[in-house]
Amino acid sequence: MQACIDIKPRVLGHVQYQPTRVSFPRVQHAARLPGSRIKISSVSDPDIVTVGEALYDCLADQLGMPKEEVSSWTPYPGGAPANVATATSRLGDRTAFVSAIGEDSLGDAFVQLLQERGVDVRYVQRVKQPTRDVLVTRSLEGDREFAGFGKNTDSYADCFLNASKIPSDVITRSSVVVTGTLGLAYDGSRESIEKISSLAGASADCTLVVDVNWRPVFWNDTSKGHEMIAEFVQRADIIKITDEEAEWLLGVGSKEALENPELVLSYFPKAKGVLVSAGEKGSSYAFHGSGKMQISGQVPVLSVEIADTTGAGDAYLAGFIHFMLASGGIDALIKDPKLVHKAVEFATGCGAATCTKPGAIDAQPSLDDVYSTLHWDM
């Protein structure tokens, strides 16, 4: 089998980033609009910093075949932190991406894509290791399954994020830091992610968002992965977790996690809130409001024509973060239960709009797209 990294990419053409409308009339209490400064200058700080892997999902061209029998693969740029970076930038937020990306053709193409999407790439480290490729097989119905990597999992560029090169001052001055957990699987990236989360946690004005994003294929020891992730997510202010991840990480049944997000939140005493996503079953949320008030609810999925669900969860998280910042930040948002529900509706609209086109990044919506999907007035 030929590794995906050696295949000439067939889908590397991307839509040029277009600045989106920055007014946000649906947010009644917006204290500031980070999207009001779309073009990133050489001296501006980002409002959002996302940290973690940039990779290519290499989708099997032949459906219903095991990995060993697949003869060709098509690479699509992705990786949850990279997806969140491009999605928030697409919505108009000043966003920077912190990662290690290979000095290879796929890495060059990825950095170019980030730049086209308006993402600040000053803090992307270029390393000699190859950019990661993830092999994804597909059933006859199109359902995806992670099938491994083209090379050894610990040999890719994202494993070598250098903690000494992390821009500490940028982290502490940002409003939101977003990270996943895949980087915890490797020594170098783990040191960097733990450093960044500590910097964010020490800043009174920074909200740390952690996406559990459990992917056992990244871990040589899955039991160690469970232990590390369980400890790491306790640092977060906001946690995004799927119903299935709640069962794996917390022992809370998937149905109960969706229907009782307050129970999920109880496992994270430091956190201000949780978002529980459950695919076609919708999502739920629970946040600590003012005083002893707890805010919770459920939001169903939207009915759209689905082309590809890749990256929908990342667009959902990006939408919530955008709405939260446009509302003045997490503390301002949770003062109003109706506004919290609106934020999750907006997130749902972002996820739904992404499903209407193929590809995790090319499909990401503008504000106009989201409002259209939600049938909201601009």
Side-chain angles (χ1 to χ4, degrees), residues 39-116:
K39 185 175 180 180
I40 297 174
S41 71
S42 61
V43 295
S44 63
D45 283 334
D47 290 301
I48 302 167
V49 176
T50 74
V51 184
E53 67 282 357
L55 53 80
Y56 283 83
D57 288 320
C58 297
L59 272 59
D61 293 325
Q62 294 75 39
L63 302 185
M65 296 287 186
K67 179 177 69 172
E68 294 75 18
E69 296 181 21
V70 174
S71 59
S72 62
W73 310 78
T74 298
Y76 292 88
N83 291 344
V84 173
T86 54
T88 52
S89 182
R90 177 74 167 145
L91 292 170
D93 299 312
R94 293 181 301 178
T95 305
F97 184 46
V98 176
S99 184
I101 296 179
E103 295 176 334
D104 51 20
S105 59
L106 288 180
D108 292 342
F110 211 122
V111 171
Q112 180 181 351
L113 171 61
L114 292 167
Q115 292 174 319
E116 289 173 353

Side-chain angles (χ1 to χ4, degrees), residues 24-35 48 87-88 91-93 176 238 315-330 332-334 336-350 367 370-371 374 376:
F24 213 142
R26 299 294 297 193
V27 181
Q28 301 300 319
H29 306 293
R32 62 185 183 85
L33 295 175
I48 302 167
T88 52
L91 292 170
D93 299 312
V176 179
I238 298 174
Y316 170 97
L317 181 58
F320 181 85
I321 292 168
H322 174 79
F323 197 104
M324 177 183 73
L325 284 180
S327 303
I330 183 60
L333 182 72
I334 59 180
D336 185 345
K338 292 182 180 179
L339 202 58
V340 174
H341 191 83
K342 208 75 173 177
V344 180
E345 287 182 333
F346 184 84
T348 301
C350 290
L367 282 178
V370 180
Y371 274 74
L374 289 165
W376 286 2

Side-chain angles (χ1 to χ4, degrees), residues 132 134 145-149 153 181-182 185-186 212-226 229 242 244-245 248:
R132 184 179 294 273
V134 181
E145 181 178 349
F146 290 101
F149 304 98
T153 183
T181 64
L182 299 187
Y186 315 105
V212 173
N213 197 29
W214 170 241
R215 297 290 184 268
V217 71
F218 281 76
W219 293 83
N220 291 322
D221 185 343
T222 54
S223 62
K224 186 177 180 181
H226 185 283
I229 292 172
T242 68
E244 293 177 348
E245 289 167 345
W248 167 77

Side-chain angles (χ1 to χ4, degrees), residues 15 42 51 79 82 180 185 187 202 305 313 328:
V15 178
S42 61
V51 184
D187 291 341
E305 191 72 27

Side-chain angles (χ1 to χ4, degrees), residues 195-224:
K195 176 180 179 179
I196 289 170
S197 65
S198 295
L199 289 167
S203 172
D205 298 323
C206 183
T207 299
L208 177 61
V209 179
V210 173
D211 181 359
V212 173
N213 197 29
W214 170 241
R215 297 290 184 268
V217 71
F218 281 76
W219 293 83
N220 291 322
D221 185 343
T222 54
S223 62
K224 186 177 180 181

